[in-house]
Amino acid sequence: MATAPVPTTPKTGPPPPRSVLRDTAFLRLWAGTTASGLATWALPFVLGLAVLHRELGAAGLGLVLAARTAGFLVAVAVGGVLADRHSRRAVVLWSALTAALAAPLLALGLGRSLVLMTLAAALAGAGQGACRPAFQALTAEVVAAGSRQQANAAMTVAVRTSTLAGPTLTALLAAFADVGTLLLGIGLLWLVAALLPGRGAEATASGAPAPRASLRAEFVDGIREARRHPWFPAGLGALTAVIALGYSATSVALPLISRDRYGTEWVLAAAVTAYTVGALGGALVTARRRPRSQGWSALAGLAVYGFAPLSLVLPVHPAVVVAAYAVAGIGIELFNVPWFTATQREVAPDKLARVSSLDFLLSYGLAPVGLALIAPAIGVFGVTPVLAVCAAACFLVPAAAALVPTARHFGRAPGPRAH
């Protein structure tokens, strides 16, 4: 006797993660990050306008910007420790308020006191530096693990959009406002960055709180945590080499080549714009891209930056230079977004801000050293040999980093998928 087949229950997987763009807590954090990015990128442009208006000399501009960089480098290390010791939200609040306070001080010193402007710039840099690792760790608190790559891509879009919009909006506003008013506007942006983000997840403490070590000891503990993941120092070394050599070389050489080889500033402007637009495209791609070997894919994207200095070695058509910069922009975000996501996934949550501060300290901190050394090297050896060496370093150092254990996946290899 035939029996009726037993109906099968359709297999259902877990529901797809909710888009971070529908998460109010993340959107508040994203808006605060965007405001801080606009303020960061607008400040050098506004100070440049002060030079044009003869309210600040060229030497004074260099001193003020150097003070801001010094403040950033000191505070990014301290801010990482503080963000692991205390509420990440509180560190964002107070560091952004510090940067907001610096803006009226800069306006007050404009045309009156270079000393006051220098101190205020150091204060602004300190606020900016302390914000960075706190924002990075706060993202991991606000966003669930499965949505962090999309969240980091959205954060990168904010940064790249700020790179384009900050100077552009400032130039438009400069037609209606003086430099002092623009500086106050930068302070208002920092106020938004301070007040808009919400709280992250509250840490659950068990037992009596352990006695705190010194700032130095806790920072060293963060270094130990970074070294516990072999892929992290390898990837950070590759990123630092690309920024200190590739990015610095092209920053110095591109204006010279645009002027001397092509006889126009158009190549400089087009290449820089293409890089930013390419980075925006790369961030959008990585929001959903999940390669099987995420670390190798990210390091390959980082190595692609080598095409930027390589395009300047030979007298190619200007379109080749612009295309190379666009490809470099795509590649840098194919690295950045998985890199941030892997750091948030693999690093111990109570040490995440310190490890992130180490990332910013080396990758951004050594960039001025590269800028300072590239120009004399070009003067001694010529632009072509220097660019060739920098291009080779951009290709080879990430390739060497890919050979390090755990670099293939930026952590442990993913286990078999459940069926």
Side-chain angles (χ1 to χ4, degrees), residues 169-274:
L169 290 175
T170 304
L172 292 174
L173 292 173
F176 308 99
D178 58 21
V179 174
T181 303
L182 293 175
L183 288 171
L184 295 178
I186 289 174
L188 289 177
L189 286 172
W190 278 113
L191 279 178
V192 172
L195 301 176
L196 193 57
R199 291 183 176 274
E202 296 293 336
T204 55
S206 59
R212 287 291 185 186
S214 66
L215 289 174
R216 177 182 177 277
E218 292 202 7
F219 183 73
V220 171
D221 193 32
I223 296 177
R224 288 195 206 95
E225 172 65 19
R227 293 176 62 186
R228 195 170 67 83
H229 309 275
W231 61 270
F232 185 86
L236 182 55
L239 177 62
T240 302
V242 169
I243 292 178
L245 294 177
Y247 180 78
S248 297
T250 55
S251 296
V252 174
L254 179 59
L256 299 176
I257 290 175
S258 181
R259 181 196 65 192
D260 298 338
R261 181 183 298 169
Y262 300 107
T264 175
E265 296 177 353
W266 177 87
V267 177
L268 170 62
V272 172
T273 303

Side-chain angles (χ1 to χ4, degrees), residues 18-108:
R18 183 186 182 190
S19 171
V20 294
L21 300 180
R22 299 172 62 187
D23 186 331
T24 302
F26 172 73
L27 289 177
R28 291 177 62 182
L29 179 63
W30 181 88
T33 305
T34 303
S36 71
L38 286 170
T40 297
W41 287 102
L43 181 58
F45 190 84
V46 172
L47 294 175
L49 291 177
V51 173
L52 293 178
H53 296 168
R54 302 186 185 279
E55 296 173 290
L56 181 68
L61 174 63
L63 181 62
V64 169
L65 292 179
R68 187 179 76 144
T69 301
F72 176 91
L73 294 177
V74 171
V76 75
V78 176
V81 175
L82 294 178
D84 282 338
R85 277 188 175 189
H86 307 291
S87 161
R88 275 83 186 254
R89 176 66 189 90
V91 173
V92 167
L93 173 66
W94 291 108
S95 55
L97 286 176
T98 298
L101 175 64
L105 295 178
L106 282 167
L108 184 63

Side-chain angles (χ1 to χ4, degrees), residues 6 36 147 151 232 280 319 352 390:
V6 178
S36 71
S147 300
F232 185 86
L280 280 170
L352 177 56
C390 291

Side-chain angles (χ1 to χ4, degrees), residues 96-415:
L97 286 176
T98 298
L101 175 64
L105 295 178
L106 282 167
L108 184 63
L110 188 65
R112 300 181 185 88
S113 172
L114 182 58
V115 173
L116 178 59
M117 290 194 70
T118 302
L119 294 175
L123 198 64
Q128 176 194 344
C131 264
R132 293 303 295 269
F135 268 128
Q136 186 73 8
L138 192 57
T139 301
E141 291 184 2
V142 169
V143 181
S147 300
R148 285 178 190 159
Q149 182 149 329
Q150 185 186 21
N152 287 318
M155 289 293 193
T156 293
V157 169
V159 171
R160 298 302 178 183
T161 303
S162 300
T163 306
L164 285 174
T168 303
L169 290 175
T170 304
L172 292 174
L173 292 173
F176 308 99
D178 58 21
V179 174
T181 303
L182 293 175
L183 288 171
L184 295 178
I186 289 174
L188 289 177
L189 286 172
W190 278 113
L191 279 178
V192 172
L195 301 176
L196 193 57
R199 291 183 176 274
E202 296 293 336
T204 55
S206 59
R212 287 291 185 186
S214 66
L215 289 174
R216 177 182 177 277
E218 292 202 7
F219 183 73
V220 171
D221 193 32
I223 296 177
R224 288 195 206 95
E225 172 65 19
R227 293 176 62 186
R228 195 170 67 83
H229 309 275
W231 61 270
F232 185 86
L236 182 55
L239 177 62
T240 302
V242 169
I243 292 178
L245 294 177
Y247 180 78
S248 297
T250 55
S251 296
V252 174
L254 179 59
L256 299 176
I257 290 175
S258 181
R259 181 196 65 192
D260 298 338
R261 181 183 298 169
Y262 300 107
T264 175
E265 296 177 353
W266 177 87
V267 177
L268 170 62
V272 172
T273 303
Y275 176 81
T276 304
V277 172
L280 280 170
L284 294 175
V285 168
T286 54
R288 297 187 178 278
R289 183 173 177 266
R290 301 290 190 277
R292 292 176 63 87
S293 301
Q294 188 178 65
W296 283 0
S297 174
L299 289 167
L302 183 63
V304 162
Y305 194 93
F307 286 111
L310 188 62
S311 70
L312 302 177
V313 171
L314 299 175
V316 296
H317 191 277
V320 176
V321 176
V322 174
Y325 269 78
V327 170
I330 294 171
I332 201 71
E333 295 308 335
L334 293 181
F335 174 84
N336 278 340
V337 175
W339 172 257
F340 291 142
T341 306
T343 303
Q344 293 161 350
R345 180 187 68 240
E346 299 291 329
V347 172
D350 62 331
K351 298 180 178 66
L352 177 56
R354 275 171 282 176
V355 173
S356 296
S357 71
L358 185 65
D359 179 357
F360 295 126
L361 186 63
L362 289 181
S363 59
Y364 286 91
L366 290 181
V369 178
L371 287 170
L373 295 178
I374 290 296
I378 289 176
V380 173
F381 301 105
V383 66
T384 298
V386 170
L387 287 173
V389 169
C390 291
C394 290
F395 291 128
L396 295 177
V397 177
L403 302 178
V404 172
T406 71
R408 178 172 182 175
H409 302 285
F410 278 170
R412 299 176 298 277

